[in-house]
Every structure is written in structure tokens, then in C-alpha cells.
């Protein structure tokens, strides 16, 4: 449901711009307009617009839907509240970083964040990029950054997504399993009350990363190639 809701919002926003119901100038990230003129909606709408309909838009939508869905159905299965909390945490960090970099739309960086988290949680999956490159999943965000560079796009967006994705991955998957470490990210109970429902299948076997002790790094969780 989270994947469908976010993807649908992105498509509807792009359609509204194409139909000239709204303009990108009403959507982009602008700290002065947000904090001095109280145009709070810009905190959300800058994540919903990926540019006019074209190759870049379709490319981003495919990657967004694919990896957001695999995360939601994989390591976040039955934990919708935790998934929503990752959205909020990632969005908050990107917004803070956005105050210091010249980026007006952060949706692409958010997509790279999702790709990064999925790739680190599925380190043994082999990827095939347009039939040209074969590599392990953890290299996928860097391959995408190289592809952006070849297209002449700024890599600041990709680096921001990778940085935020790594911060989340470290705090959620790595630090709790370190000597003296602990869980610093805890999903608020209000989100759990809203989004989480009891598991219907009593025979459901949780994925390795959902078991006590964190992700079983010795097991390859293959969710697609």
C-alpha cells in the first residue's frame, strides 16, 4: 500500500503539471517560501515531481516502483509502520541536507535511497544492467550514479540518496549488532497503531532480517534480479 500510494501520488502530480493545472514553481523545495511564507506543502511536493513525461521520468518511476515494492514485500513484510518510518526518517534527513545543497526536487535522491537500502540488504543478488553489466546488488547505486554521469546529469542527487540510505542502513542494520551498539531508530507507537495489523497467517516464517538479532548476513535473500 505504501508503494502504491507514493507511486500514484508521483504520477498524479506529473499529470497535473502536464495538464497545466499546477506548475513546478508551486512544488519545488524553497526554504524561504517554506519557513517564511508557510508554504509547508513544498516539504512533500518536492518529492513527488520527477520532471516532465519522458525517459528520465519513466526510468525513475520504474526504479521507484520496483525497489520500493521489493522492500515493502521483503524486509518490511508485515512491518508497514517501520516502512513508513523509514520514509519519514529519509525524507527528514534529505530535507535537512537540502538546505545546504542546490536541489529543488528530491524525489530522485529518495529513489536512490530506497535502491541503496534494498541493495545492502540483498548483497548476494546478481544484477544485470541493460544486458551490459553484471554485478552484485551493493554496486547498483554506484552504477546508477555512473549512468547519470554519462547522461550529463549532476551526481549530487545520487550522492545524497546514497548518503541518506547508508545512514539509515548503518543505524538500523549495522550499529545494533556492534559491541556496545543499540537501536537508535525506533518506530513511534502511533505509527504502529495506525499501520500495523496482526499477521493473518499463523504459519508465516519471518525473513532473516526480521528475526531477533538482526539480518542473517550469511543468507542470501534473493528477491529478483
Amino acid at each position: 500500500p505504501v508503494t502504491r500510494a507514493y507511486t500514484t501520488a508521483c504520477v498524479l502530480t506529473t499529470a497535473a503539471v502536464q495538464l497545466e493545472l499546477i506548475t513546478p514553481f508551486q512544488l519545488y523545495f524553497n526554504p524561504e517560501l517554506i519557513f517564511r511564507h508557510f508554504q509547508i506543502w513544498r516539504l512533500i511536493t518536492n518529492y513527488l515531481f520527477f520532471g516532465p513525461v519522458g525517459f528520465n521520468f519513466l526510468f525513475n518511476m520504474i526504479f521507484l516502483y520496483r525497489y520500493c515494492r521489493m522492500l515493502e514485500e521483503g524486509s518490511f513484510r508485515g512491518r508497514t509502520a517501520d516502512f513508513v518510518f523509514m520514509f519519514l526518517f529519509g525524507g527528514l534527513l534529505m530535507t535537512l541536507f537540502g538546505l545546504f545543497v542546490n536541489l529543488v526536487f528530491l524525489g530522485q535522491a529518495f529513489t536512490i535511497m530506497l535502491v541503496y537500502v534494498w541493495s545492502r540488504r540483498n548483497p548476494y543478488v546478481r544484477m544485470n544492467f541493460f544486458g551490459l553489466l553484471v554485478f552484485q546488488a551493493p554496486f547498483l547505486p554506484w552504477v546508477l550514479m555512473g549512468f547519470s554521469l554519462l547522461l550529463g546529469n549532476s551526481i549530487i542527487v545520487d550522492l545524497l540518496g546514497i548518503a541518506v540510505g547508508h545512514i539509515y542502513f548503518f543505524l538500523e542494520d549495522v550499529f545494533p549488532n556492534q559491541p556496545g551498539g543499540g537501536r537508535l531508530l525506533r518506530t513511534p507507537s502511533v505509527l504502529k497503531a495506525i499501520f500495523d495489523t496482526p499477521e493473518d497467517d499463523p504459519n508465516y516464517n519471518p525473513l532473516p532480517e526480521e528475526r531477533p538479532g538482526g539480518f542473517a548476513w550469511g543468507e542470501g535473500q534473493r528477491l529478483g534480479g
Side-chain angles (χ1 to χ4, degrees), residues 37-217:
H37 298 274
F38 306 106
Q39 296 183 8
I40 306 300
W41 67 83
R42 293 177 183 272
L43 291 172
I44 298 175
T45 56
N46 81 91
Y47 288 98
L48 303 180
F49 184 65
F50 288 78
V53 176
F55 175 78
N56 189 61
F57 171 77
L58 294 176
F59 186 81
N60 276 286
M61 286 298 99
I62 291 172
F63 269 80
L64 171 62
Y65 183 78
R66 174 179 173 81
Y67 291 98
C68 190
R69 179 179 178 179
M70 286 198 294
L71 272 178
E72 187 170 9
E73 293 181 345
S75 59
F76 286 98
R77 178 187 173 95
R79 299 192 296 129
T80 303
D82 294 336
F83 194 47
V84 172
F85 181 66
M86 184 191 73
F87 266 58
L88 297 176
F89 177 79
L92 176 61
L93 271 187
M94 286 187 189
T95 299
L96 292 177
F97 289 149
L99 297 175
F100 304 100
V101 295
N102 187 27
L103 293 175
V104 292
F105 290 104
L106 299 173
Q108 184 175 335
F110 194 83
T111 299
I112 295 295
M113 181 199 77
L114 296 174
V115 171
Y116 184 91
V117 173
W118 176 87
S119 68
R120 293 302 300 269
R121 287 186 170 181
N122 297 272
Y124 304 111
V125 176
R126 292 182 65 80
M127 311 296 298
N128 188 324
F129 191 72
F130 291 132
L132 301 175
L133 295 174
V134 178
F135 50 88
Q136 299 294 104
F139 291 101
L140 179 59
W142 303 101
V143 171
L144 292 178
M145 186 179 71
F147 185 65
S148 294
L149 189 62
L150 288 176
L151 292 178
N153 299 327
S154 172
I155 62 173
I156 298 298
V157 174
D158 301 83
L159 289 175
L160 177 59
I162 289 172
V164 173
H166 183 73
I167 291 173
Y168 176 84
F169 173 76
F170 179 81
L171 294 177
E172 182 69 14
D173 293 57
V174 179
F175 185 68
N177 298 315
Q178 298 295 314
R183 298 190 68 86
L184 300 179
L185 299 181
R186 296 185 182 276
T187 303
S189 57
V190 63
L191 291 180
K192 290 183 176 293
I194 295 173
F195 293 103
D196 282 354
T197 57
E199 179 62 54
D200 295 328
D201 183 6
N203 298 317
Y204 171 63
N205 185 30
L207 292 167
E209 61 265 46
E210 296 172 8
R211 298 170 187 159
F215 191 83
W217 293 104

